[in-house]
């Protein structure tokens, strides 16, 4: 049964789709809006260092995921690996954590998109735009996988081109080739040591790590799309390599330019730091240009998010851990019921952000921030246990189509670095709520899994006896 269902998914994604899907999930509001907060907290040098550490963590996790998804390419992959190599309860919990991450993101992205449209259409209510964009993203996801991948490719391309232009213009302003308004010409790196290497102490580096990890979340989409990718043994390793160096160029390059052209005192979250810098360089209509770029960034992240959350639900149903209702595929290979349910989850998150922003919504956002790191930890642990079992069965590591280097160092290092960012948030009063809400949610998922399994077993035993 599972095998037939699996064959109905269409392997239509190419390397360019996979790279842009991963970049599309990553380059969102985290880079365009929250980077100002990180610069303010950790200072320019601290921010660059934390993004480099974040990129290293992502790379180590991607190496682990690459080995697993090339060996076992399936849709909604990493919860299956966790279920198989760590335990079924962990697999179930990882899937729900990841589903919640993206559905909460959907809610906040539709709200943000509606707010951005206010710049051009102040007389139209925010909810009208939010509803319009929600319908657009839903339609893109239910047509075909190829249509979804193509739309995501173009959404993400806008962001990538905008970031490249921003880095080129910023670099020219740093070198004095472009004049700056209200600033000395050719500031180069003078802003970097203005407030010292770490204005709030070296510990601020650890406290910003969760925000940085959250900004990098989305790279693991490569693993989710493995079941719908043509030639996974060639496509996935190539996508992992290109995604990583692009992330370093985009994130670190952007932060270098922002830090050089924006004094720490001017960085914050009231306004996109990109707009502030472009205005200083004197780019006409910079506010409108960035508004458009951020809008496509948000829609691209929502597009990736609905895709990811629906594939997780499909995978859970395919493993018979939730109702088979969610495993239904259309003729075009789209898990329609899973897409609809994930969209409803996004709508509820959107509603809670309006009705109860200080209670329900802050809890959801906190859990989703922690969830990404928990998912990465599960990927590292799965690869560690998979390789150990593979060798124990007498198989040769040389037979693996793609293998993570330096085993067991890579999975252990990625697990410890992820764990360190979880410990770091315990010391930050503003982020501590993530642990208070996230840990009970994880325990609730484990409890509900074992409860439903024991009820199922009892039901099966009862049916057998009668």
């Amino acid at each position: 049964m599972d095998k037939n269902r699996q064959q109905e998914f269409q392997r239509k994604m190419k390397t360019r789709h996979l790279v842009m899907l991963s970049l599309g999930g990553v380059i969102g509001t985290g880079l365009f809006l929250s980077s100002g907060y990180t610069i303010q907290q950790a200072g320019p040098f601290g921010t660059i260092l934390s993004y480099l550490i974040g990129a290293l963590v992502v790379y180590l996790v991607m190496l682990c995921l690459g080995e697993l998804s090339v060996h076992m390419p399936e849709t909604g992959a990493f919860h299956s690996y966790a279920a198989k190599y760590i335990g079924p309860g962990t697999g179930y919990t990882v899937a729900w954590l990841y589903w919640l991450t993206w559905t909460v993101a959907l809610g906040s992205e539709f709200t943000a998109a509606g707010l951005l449209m206010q710049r051009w259409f102040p007389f139209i209510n925010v909810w009208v735009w939010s509803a319009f964009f929600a319908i657009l993203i839903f339609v893109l996801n239910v047509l075909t996988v190829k249509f979804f991948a193509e739309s995501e490719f173009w959404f993400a391309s806008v962001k990538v081109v905008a970031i490249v232009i921003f880095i080129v213009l910023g670099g020219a302003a740093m070198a004095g080739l472009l004049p700056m308004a209200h600033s000395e010409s050719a500031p180069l790196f003078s802003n970097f040591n203005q407030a010292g290497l770490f204005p709030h102490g070296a510990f601020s580096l650890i406290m910003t790590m969760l925000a940085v990890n959250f900004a990098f979340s989305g790279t693991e989409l490569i693993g989710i799309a493995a079941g719908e990718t043509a030639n996974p043994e060639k496509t996935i390793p190539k996508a992992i390599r290109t995604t990583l160096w692009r992330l370093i160029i985009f994130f670190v390059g952007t932060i270098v330019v922002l830090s050089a052209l924006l004094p720490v005192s001017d960085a914050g979250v009231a306004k996109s730091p990109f707009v502030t810098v472009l205005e200083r360089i004197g780019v006409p209509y910079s506010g409108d240009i960035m508004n458009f770029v951020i809008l496509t960034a948000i829609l691209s992240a929502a597009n990736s998010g609905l895709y990811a959350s629906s594939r997780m639900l499909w995978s859970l149903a395919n493993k018979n851990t939730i109702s088979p209702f969610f495993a239904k595929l259309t003729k075009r290979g789209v898990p329609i019921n899973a897409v609809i349910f994930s969209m409803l989850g996004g709508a509820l998150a959107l509603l809670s952000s309006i009705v109860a922003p200080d209670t329900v919504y802050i809890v959801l956002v906190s859990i989703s921030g922690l969830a990404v790191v928990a998912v990465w930890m599960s990927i590292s642990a799965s690869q560690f246990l998979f390789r150990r079992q593979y060798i124990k069965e007498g198989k040769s590591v040389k037979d693996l189509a793609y293998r993570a280097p330096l085993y067991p160092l890579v999975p252990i290092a990625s697990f410890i670095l992820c764990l360190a960012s979880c410990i770091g948030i315990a010391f930050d009063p503003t982020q501590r709520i993530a642990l208070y809400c996230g840990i009970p949610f994880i325990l609730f998922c484990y409890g509900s899994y074992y409860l439903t399994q024991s009820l199922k077993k009892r039901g099966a035993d009862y049916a057998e006896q009668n």
Side-chain angles (χ1 to χ4, degrees):
M1 178 76 182
D2 284 3
K3 204 172 178 190
N4 293 339
R5 277 199 203 130
Q6 188 69 32
Q7 285 167 345
E8 288 176 37
F9 267 116
Q10 299 173 355
R11 291 189 179 273
K12 298 276 175 147
M13 290 207 203
K14 300 180 174 73
T15 307
R16 69 183 179 94
H17 292 141
L18 213 54
V19 169
M20 283 302 188
L21 174 65
S22 184
L23 287 174
V26 177
I27 303 169
T29 49
L31 180 62
F32 287 116
L33 298 172
S34 314
S35 47
Y37 165 79
T38 317
I39 292 170
Q40 199 178 46
Q41 288 299 305
F45 179 76
T47 302
I48 291 167
L49 198 58
S50 60
Y51 273 100
L52 283 171
I53 296 168
L56 172 69
V57 175
V58 168
Y59 186 52
L60 296 176
V61 172
M62 288 301 103
L63 288 173
C64 295
L65 183 59
E67 182 175 306
L68 291 165
S69 51
V70 169
H71 186 68
M72 297 166 280
E74 55 176 287
T75 297
F78 39 76
H79 101 86
S80 310
Y81 309 145
K84 192 171 181 181
Y85 298 107
I86 305 173
T90 305
Y92 179 82
T93 304
V94 161
W96 279 115
L97 279 170
Y98 201 67
W99 181 83
L100 186 76
T101 296
W102 282 110
T103 44
V104 171
L106 278 179
S108 56
E109 269 139 16
F110 294 141
T111 311
L115 288 167
L116 286 171
M117 293 304 285
Q118 289 278 290
R119 184 183 176 96
W120 299 312
F121 304 97
F123 47 87
I124 297 177
N125 268 338
V126 172
W127 70 264
V128 175
W129 288 114
S130 297
F132 168 75
F133 290 127
I135 292 163
L136 173 71
I137 296 300
F138 179 75
V139 169
L140 291 177
N141 269 267
V142 294
L143 290 172
T144 65
V145 171
K146 194 175 181 187
F147 192 75
F148 157 78
E150 206 58 50
S151 64
E152 185 51 36
F153 176 80
W154 291 108
F155 268 147
S157 298
V158 172
K159 297 190 278 199
V160 169
V161 169
I163 289 172
V164 170
I165 292 171
F166 178 79
I167 292 171
V168 170
L169 286 177
M174 282 166 67
L177 301 173
L178 281 176
M180 291 275 288
H182 325 295
S183 175
E184 63 194 85
S185 56
L188 291 172
F189 299 101
S190 57
N191 276 341
F192 276 64
N193 51 9
Q194 203 180 44
L197 287 182
F198 301 103
H200 299 289
F203 195 69
S204 60
L205 194 71
I206 296 170
M207 281 159 57
T208 55
M209 274 319 297
L210 192 75
V212 169
N213 283 342
F214 192 61
F216 276 124
S217 66
T219 34
E220 68 293 320
L221 283 166
I222 288 173
I224 287 192
E228 293 168 85
T229 304
N231 304 325
E233 64 287 343
K234 286 182 184 172
T235 314
I236 292 169
K238 195 175 174 186
I240 286 171
R241 279 195 304 274
T242 50
T243 300
L244 182 87
W245 66 257
R246 286 180 196 197
L247 279 181
I248 290 176
I249 290 171
F250 295 152
F251 274 84
V252 177
T254 301
I255 296 298
V256 167
V257 170
L258 286 177
S259 303
L261 303 179
L262 201 64
V264 178
S265 55
D266 292 5
V269 285
K271 187 181 190 180
S272 169
F274 283 76
V275 176
T276 313
V277 166
L278 288 174
E279 282 172 352
R280 287 186 172 197
I281 295 173
V283 175
Y285 306 110
S286 50
D288 289 319
I289 293 166
M290 280 319 296
N291 208 47
F292 173 72
V293 171
I294 296 168
L295 183 66
T296 56
I298 286 169
L299 293 179
S300 157
N303 204 23
S304 302
L306 186 57
Y307 173 84
S309 51
S310 62
R311 286 343 184 243
M312 266 299 159
L313 276 187
W314 175 87
S315 187
L316 275 172
N318 192 47
K319 295 275 184 288
N320 296 319
T321 40
I322 59 169
S323 167
F325 171 78
F326 295 109
K328 186 183 187 299
L329 293 174
T330 62
K331 285 177 185 173
R332 290 169 171 171
V334 175
I336 185 73
N337 294 335
V339 173
I340 293 168
F341 188 77
S342 298
M343 198 69 201
L344 289 174
L348 287 174
L350 178 64
L351 193 68
S352 72
S353 72
I354 300 162
V355 178
D358 301 330
T359 49
V360 180
Y361 188 65
I362 193 83
V363 167
L364 291 175
V365 169
S366 302
I367 295 171
S368 70
L370 191 67
V372 173
V373 184
V375 167
W376 289 359
M377 286 163 78
S378 80
I379 292 169
S380 307
S382 299
Q383 191 264 337
F384 177 81
L385 296 166
F386 156 73
R387 181 79 77 92
R388 203 170 67 173
Q389 188 177 314
Y390 191 80
I391 294 165
K392 208 180 270 182
E393 286 168 359
K395 294 172 184 170
S396 170
V397 176
K398 288 175 184 171
D399 295 337
L400 288 169
Y402 176 80
R403 57 183 181 272
L406 304 173
Y407 178 87
L409 195 66
V410 166
I412 291 171
S414 61
F415 188 89
I416 290 170
L417 285 166
C418 289
L419 187 63
S421 73
C422 290
I423 294 166
I425 62 168
F427 297 96
D428 183 356
T430 56
Q431 295 186 76
R432 211 173 286 153
I433 186 173
L435 293 177
Y436 295 152
C437 305
I439 293 169
F441 181 79
I442 289 169
L443 294 174
F444 170 76
C445 286
Y446 271 104
S448 61
Y449 173 78
Y450 289 111
L451 182 68
T452 50
Q453 289 308 301
S454 68
L455 290 173
K456 262 188 201 174
K457 192 175 181 299
R458 258 188 231 168
D461 292 347
Y462 179 79
E464 215 172 274
Q465 286 164 12
N466 293 278

